[in-house]
Amino acid sequence: MRHILSLLAGAVAAPLAWVLVALGQRGSSRTVSAWFEADRFNGADLLQPAVYLGAGGIVLGLVATLRISPLGPLLAGLLLLFPYAALFADPFAVRDAVPADWRLFGDPVDLRQPLENGTLFFLGGLLVMATFSAKRWRRWPRPVVLPPPPPANYPPQPGYGERSYDDPTLDWPTGPPDQEARPPSLGYPYDPPPPPPAPQSGSP
């Protein structure tokens, strides 16, 4: 699906950029020429051609840089390269096939100017070279689904007499202390030995 969308974007971007570049180049060249003829200038006169040229650059830049699919910039580049390459075979037929009397928003559109001065060939080469990036042929990495965060009462609070998770690990006695310390034995009851008999008086 992404390849189809990219092809549609490339098929639309190439002729649209051609028209915008033709509008911008004609208006820019006529404005600058008029400045030199009158020996004065007004920078506001160059705003409209600059908008056309900037819009054409944005259209081609989106197709060339967005990682949707490399087929879009490849198609757009070939569409822009083909008219200039056809000049090598039959320049008169190609020039006559390109209209030069269109009007858009009241401004004349001379589509022959970008073709004749080599702008189409330059832009087409840039778009074709944009397809040689290895990253453009890869899909975007899928987002990693993280586990849900633990509840607010995690870890559980220890009960009475239990050790807390935050307490340091110490071997504290958990039961009642022994009444008296007894020496180690085999488990038999400990009876002390009887005292020795007292010596009898008068014995030799």
Side-chain angles (χ1 to χ4, degrees):
M1 186 64 181
R2 67 189 185 101
H3 297 295
I4 298 177
L5 294 177
S6 182
L7 286 174
L8 293 176
V12 174
L16 179 60
W18 188 349
V19 173
L20 292 173
V21 170
L23 280 170
Q25 284 188 345
R26 178 181 176 86
S28 180
S29 60
R30 290 172 63 90
T31 301
V32 175
S33 298
W35 287 351
F36 280 92
E37 291 177 1
D39 198 15
R40 58 186 178 87
F41 71 95
N42 185 5
D45 299 336
L46 201 61
L47 288 178
Q48 187 175 4
V51 170
Y52 288 140
L53 293 173
I58 292 174
V59 170
L60 294 181
L62 290 176
V63 176
T65 57
L66 292 181
R67 283 183 56 185
I68 301 176
S69 171
L71 298 181
L74 179 61
L75 177 62
L78 294 178
L79 290 177
L80 295 178
L81 286 174
F82 178 76
Y84 191 86
L87 293 177
F88 291 93
D90 194 348
F92 303 104
V94 173
R95 189 178 186 276
D96 294 338
V98 176
D101 55 352
W102 283 6
R103 300 188 70 87
L104 183 65
F105 305 120
D107 297 329
V109 182
D110 186 6
L111 296 179
R112 295 176 181 175
Q113 185 172 2
L115 174 64
E116 294 174 354
N117 60 22
T119 304
L120 294 185
F121 188 78
F122 174 75
L123 296 177
L126 289 178
L127 291 174
V128 171
M129 290 304 299
T131 64
F132 287 94
S133 176
K135 294 182 179 180
R136 295 183 61 91
W137 294 91
R138 302 173 185 171
R139 290 181 176 270
W140 282 96
R142 296 183 178 181
V144 179
V145 180
L146 299 177
N153 59 348
Y154 184 84
Q157 298 298 325
Y160 180 78
E162 297 180 356
R163 181 182 299 173
S164 173
Y165 289 92
D166 298 332
D167 293 341
T169 304
L170 298 176
D171 295 328
W172 295 102
T174 57
D178 296 335
Q179 298 297 330
E180 58 182 4
R182 296 180 179 273
S185 62
L186 297 177
Y188 298 100
Y190 178 74
D191 294 330
Q200 296 179 3
S201 59
S203 58

